[in-house]
Amino acid sequence: MRRIKKVWQLFWVQLYLELKSNLRYLPATLSQFLIYAGALVAIMLFSDTSEMGKLYHTNNGVFIILIGYLFWSLGISQLGSCAMAIESNEKAGILESEVQSVFPLWLLYLIQALADSAITWLYLIVLSIGTCLFTSYSLGEMIWLLILTFILSLISNVGMFGLGLIFAAGSLRFKQLGQWSTIFQAILLMVSNVYLPICSVWQELVPYVGGVELVRKLFLGQRIFTMQIVNYLLVNLVWLIIGIFIFNYFFKKERKNGSFEAF
């Protein structure tokens, strides 16, 4: 219980620091918001919202695509935060102190990623409410959509964090590998079901794909099968386990034979 309490305290401290940093560096915060807004506008412009609406038997394909965008944005926030953690913390001079922590290094990065995700949620809530102006849905329906997305994205964020750990492990071993995560994020957008329906079972290996489909069906009142939920949970659990295993392996190897200072 004492360790759980300390982890909880660490999360709130990290969240406070993130909020303070975002307020202090307001121009950078606004730029980040514009990036999320630009991504949403680009996805909407290059997507066939009417066709998506037909596929899901609804008159509003905008919301169907918005659900995919929310999951993707939250997922890449988790992945990017974890993938870049090694490099950014080394440059800030805190990596060595983190290594000495009583908590596993991956757990510290999970806390950091969760705090980043909370900030990302603030951006997405503003953008989602703004989207109501261009749809036939009410603010109450948008809030319901956001609640569903929040609950189910907690699961997919675990899997995306596992993927981020793999990139973080690469940064430990090969140095300055985090930037490749940005390319990977763009690939995920193109191969997943953000603005397209699922057309292959391989797409379901992406952590958030199952969550997107579940929220779309829940929001539209359509039937959900138990196996969809089970598969969604298993995919994300497996990615988390793989990520922790690979990260811990490279961490121990680098601690024994490498150097944390050579970045």
Side-chain angles (χ1 to χ4, degrees), residues 57-250:
H57 308 290
T58 178
N59 294 324
N60 202 322
V62 172
F63 264 37
I64 298 301
I65 294 175
L66 178 63
I67 293 169
Y69 166 78
L70 291 174
F71 269 89
W72 174 75
S73 297
L74 292 166
I76 64 171
S77 173
Q78 291 289 112
L79 188 151
S81 175
C82 179
M84 297 300 295
I86 291 290
E87 296 175 29
S88 60
N89 289 348
E90 191 279 334
K91 292 175 182 177
I94 61 176
L95 181 59
E96 288 290 346
S97 61
E98 287 181 333
V99 170
Q100 305 303 321
S101 172
V102 295
F103 297 106
L105 193 57
W106 67 266
L107 181 57
L108 296 180
Y109 291 157
L110 176 60
I111 294 171
Q112 181 178 327
L114 289 174
D116 287 342
S117 181
I119 302 299
T120 302
W121 259 111
L122 296 178
Y123 300 149
L124 298 180
I125 288 173
V126 173
L127 290 172
S128 298
I129 293 175
T131 305
C132 283
L133 300 174
F134 304 97
T135 66
S136 59
Y137 286 96
S138 67
L139 181 59
E141 289 171 314
M142 173 61 77
I143 292 174
W144 173 234
L145 184 150
L146 290 173
I147 292 173
L148 289 174
T149 301
F150 174 77
I151 295 173
L152 289 176
S153 67
L154 292 175
I155 299 171
S156 61
N157 285 349
V158 168
M160 293 299 289
F161 175 76
L163 284 174
L165 282 176
I166 296 175
F167 281 96
S171 290
L172 275 175
R173 179 64 182 87
F174 304 106
K175 316 304 179 186
Q176 297 185 352
L177 195 65
Q179 65 269 20
W180 286 95
S181 68
T182 304
I183 300 175
F184 185 67
Q185 292 165 20
I187 294 174
L188 286 179
L189 176 62
M190 292 183 288
V191 303
S192 63
N193 58 340
V194 174
Y195 56 90
L196 294 170
I198 293 180
C199 59
S200 170
V201 293
W202 295 106
Q203 288 175 289
E204 297 187 43
L205 294 178
V206 178
Y208 61 79
V209 164
V212 172
E213 293 302 312
L214 288 173
V215 171
R216 284 171 175 170
K217 291 185 176 182
L218 284 170
F219 184 72
L220 297 173
Q222 297 176 358
R223 185 180 180 185
I224 291 176
F225 297 98
T226 303
M227 281 307 300
Q228 288 180 287
I229 301 174
V230 173
N231 289 339
Y232 183 49
L233 293 172
L234 285 177
V235 165
N236 284 281
L237 179 60
V238 169
W239 277 120
L240 177 64
I241 293 173
I242 291 174
I244 292 175
F245 175 80
I246 292 176
F247 181 81
N248 284 340
Y249 173 79
F250 280 103

